Amino acid sequence: DIHMTQSPFSLSASVGDRVTITCRASQGIGKSLAWYQQKPGKVPRLLIYDASVLQSGVPSRFSGSGSGTDFTLTITSLQPADVATYYCQKYNSVPWTFGQGTRVEIK
Amino acid sequence: QVQLVQSGAEVKKPGASVKVSCKAFGYTFTSYGVSWVRQAPGQGLEWMGWISAYNGHTDYAQNLQGRVAMTTDPSTNTVYMELRSLRSDDTAIYYCARVGPGVTNNWFDPWGQGTLVTVSS
């Protein structure tokens, strides 16, 4: 099975900072990658699919890039509302594995 | 409005079974699939499996094979997830999420509100 590894495990940044989270697949998955945001105590929410397509209603400060094995989620200007854990997920073939998550906090 | 509404919290004893429902609203039920994801306390997201509401095809996570079963009832637009031989480490929030349409659009959106399943003697 393909393993998904996110880094860092957690990060703390200031409001307005650019934040980057990476996700690496143990084998190539094309562009079959999604990013989800889960705020504390809340249901996960789809942010990005097909590696770079922004889901409707998601703020434009979120963006995704990558293909094959290396992917990136970027928040261009971190806001207090972005405090959450972010998960990548591959879906090219089952099992549709998640990364272990990256916790984002405000410094 | 597309939404998935799950059944309420459950408390079960070790060895018992639990069946969680997920009722779909606002879209053509048989054009999509439904996946199940669980989250143990303080932990990350674990994919459990999925079912096609079109033809009933299922795929399950290897670590749950033999204990999990997903079914659909198209007459009520409802998907069910049954987990048998419960253990304490099955204590988690269980989420359903819509998948598709098509065979490549396998991202999850939207998600149900979650169902807390507690396994305790």
Side-chain angles (χ1 to χ4, degrees), chain B residues 19-68:
Chain B
K19 193 169 188 177
V20 180
S21 69
C22 172
K23 187 172 174 64
F25 296 89
Y27 68 92
T28 302
F29 182 71
T30 52
S31 293
Y32 294 79
V34 170
S35 191
W36 290 86
V37 176
R38 69 179 180 178
Q39 186 170 37
Q43 301 301 308
L45 302 175
E46 178 189 7
W47 181 74
M48 299 178 66
W50 83 291
I51 182 167
S52 166
Y54 173 69
N55 59 13
H57 173 81
T58 55
D59 287 297
Y60 301 133
Q62 189 169 12
N63 65 322
L64 295 173
Q65 289 274 4
R67 287 207 301 138
V68 68

Side-chain angles (χ1 to χ4, degrees), chain B residues 42-117:
Chain B
Q43 301 301 308
L45 302 175
E46 178 189 7
W47 181 74
M48 299 178 66
W50 83 291
I51 182 167
S52 166
Y54 173 69
N55 59 13
H57 173 81
T58 55
D59 287 297
Y60 301 133
Q62 189 169 12
N63 65 322
L64 295 173
Q65 289 274 4
R67 287 207 301 138
V68 68
M70 298 174 189
T71 56
T72 67
D73 181 354
S75 70
T76 60
N77 288 1
T78 302
V79 176
Y80 298 92
M81 185 283 299
E82 182 177 29
L83 189 61
R84 302 179 286 269
S85 302
L86 289 168
R87 311 185 292 244
S88 58
D89 62 358
D90 292 317
T91 294
I93 298 174
Y94 289 75
Y95 295 102
C96 63
R98 191 182 71 166
V99 177
V103 296
T104 59
N105 301 334
N106 299 322
W107 52 85
F108 297 174
D109 182 67
W111 295 55
Q113 84 275 18
T115 297
L116 176 61
V117 175

Side-chain angles (χ1 to χ4, degrees), chain A residues 26-46:
Chain A
S26 59
Q27 298 175 40
I29 59 171
K31 302 197 84 171
S32 298
L33 186 100
W35 290 96
Y36 301 89
Q37 175 194 62
Q38 187 179 31
K39 296 183 178 182
K42 301 297 186 183
V43 177
R45 169 198 183 194
L46 175 68

Side-chain angles (χ1 to χ4, degrees), chain A:
Chain A
D1 290 349
I2 297 174
H3 188 66
M4 306 300 291
T5 303
Q6 288 182 231
S7 61
F9 177 75
S10 66
L11 66 89
S12 181
S14 299
V15 172
D17 281 355
R18 182 184 184 93
V19 168
T20 299
I21 299 169
T22 64
C23 178
R24 175 163 289 176
S26 59
Q27 298 175 40
I29 59 171
K31 302 197 84 171
S32 298
L33 186 100
W35 290 96
Y36 301 89
Q37 175 194 62
Q38 187 179 31
K39 296 183 178 182
K42 301 297 186 183
V43 177
R45 169 198 183 194
L46 175 68
L47 295 178
I48 287 168
Y49 61 92
D50 285 349
S52 61
V53 180
L54 200 65
Q55 173 68 343
S56 176
V58 174
S60 59
R61 63 181 178 273
F62 290 93
S63 65
S65 65
S67 66
T69 60
D70 294 306
F71 302 86
T72 299
L73 173 70
T74 300
I75 309 172
T76 53
S77 178
L78 187 67
Q79 300 300 306
D82 302 333
V83 170
T85 300
Y86 294 84
Y87 296 92
C88 64
Q89 181 215 12
K90 68 97 168 170
Y91 53 82
N92 61 313
S93 61
V94 293
W96 295 334
T97 314
F98 290 92
Q100 80 276 18
T102 295
R103 180 177 296 180
V104 174
E105 299 174 337
I106 300 290
K107 193 180 294 183

